[in-house]
Amino acid sequence: MIYEKGSKCMEKDDILEIDLREIVYILLKKWYLIVLCFVLSAGTAFVVTQFYIKPVYKAETTLFLGKEKDQVSLSFSDIQVNNQLVVDYREILQSRRVAEIINQKFGVGIQEFQKNVNVKTVKDSRLFSISYEDTDPKRAADIVNELATVIQKMADEIIQVKNIKVIDTAKIPENPVKPNKKMNVGAAGLFGLLLGVGLILLLELIDHTFKKPEEVEKMLGINVIGTIPAFDGGKRGKKKAKDEKELQEQYLKNLIVHNNPKSASAEAFRELRTNLYYSSVDSEVKTIVVTSPTLGDGKTVTTVNLAITLARSGKKVLVIDADLRKPKVHHYFGVKNKEGLTNLLTDSKEEVKIKTTERSDISNLYIITSGPIPPNPAEMLNSNRMKSLLEKVREEYDIVIIDTPPVGQVTDAAILAGITDGVILVLASGQTRIEMAKRAFKSLESVKARFIGAVLTKLDVERAGYYSYKYE
């Protein structure tokens, strides 16, 4: 059914809902971003680890806390004392006095030494170890062995005990303990994967365009009467004088209903035709304005293909190119544009005499091209002569489809929408911004246009889940 005048554009939260299947599809479609982030992160981590971070080596010596020479046996209290002594030795080795000794002998800074030295006990034993980390493996071993000697001397000097024995003398380490190349690269790779996923979802979030029919209905509050899958048509908009013939061939490729009637896109236009018939059950719809929020949304492609589909169903169809700024209808049909709508509107004769162009290979289809581009398109479309023309063609043809400029950029479409039976708003999936669509909707609503519905073109059928069947 046609939407009544004054219907309001939905003002709900603009955040679009994305289900799990959509997320998976989005990630699979843009997998290259995940791979790129993974390679960059893992590669950067490898390069930094391999060439910029100095390897750190750890040397270690093991000592034993036994009994004094004059002791015959070792009591439980002696073991407790030894455990406490390990704590004391740790504090001594990390003291400033020991740090100054190491500084004088090896030139290691006091704070650097205190940060890299470590003393720990071996569980359930009287063994403890002294370790030191340094970028120079030989210096690390020398410092640890020096610390073993220092703690023996200080234990005798400060605590007055001589129960420390060296079990293992530190050797020069061959393999670094830092950085861990595998761990760094692995962690960076995992970060890259998460970064890639996050980047894709962020791009999807800030991409404020329509993707599916449900989003159009939610944001604008009008029914989607047609969903046209993206198809391989000719490229347009690159007009050069020397390429005029090639340009014409490119435009003709977009008549998908005529060129490939068994394709999914052609079937989509036939479904649009069916939905259009249902929309005119309650009130007669004969003059239809086709417009879009912006350039490139597919309004003219929709106009010409819908016209062919209607003509093949037996309807007498007239296509009027009312885009008096950048007319394209004649390109798509491959007809001349010497005379057209502007000539009819500027004719001095009181009675409007309609002159149409036909294509011999498409019956029931008649075309009024734009004619020469005038200096005042809006004024011409808003003239009484234009209204008279519409009244006359309404009587002579079953359906009149009027291609107009984007309503989001100029007022031409809104002018005609106010004096015709209905308007079809064409939106491009993944291209038409929601803000522009809302602006276009309000422009048409301001002239009390009756919305037949919206058509969503360039639909990504894999994402939307439509047209899973194929035509042979």
Side-chain angles (χ1 to χ4, degrees), residues 36-64:
L36 179 62
C37 289
F38 173 79
V39 172
L40 288 177
S41 298
T44 301
F46 175 81
V47 171
V48 171
T49 302
Q50 182 73 18
F51 300 105
Y52 291 94
I53 299 179
K54 290 184 178 181
V56 176
Y57 298 86
K58 180 179 180 180
E60 190 173 31
T61 182
T62 305
L63 301 95
F64 177 74

Side-chain angles (χ1 to χ4, degrees), residues 241-259:
K242 62 180 180 179
D243 297 327
E244 188 66 33
K245 185 176 180 180
E246 181 182 352
L247 175 70
Q248 188 65 61
E249 292 176 352
Q250 292 293 321
Y251 274 100
L252 290 174
K253 289 180 181 179
N254 291 279
L255 294 179
I256 190 70
V257 172
H258 182 68
N259 299 330

Side-chain angles (χ1 to χ4, degrees), residues 53 214 286:
I53 299 179
E214 295 84 355
K286 297 192 70 174

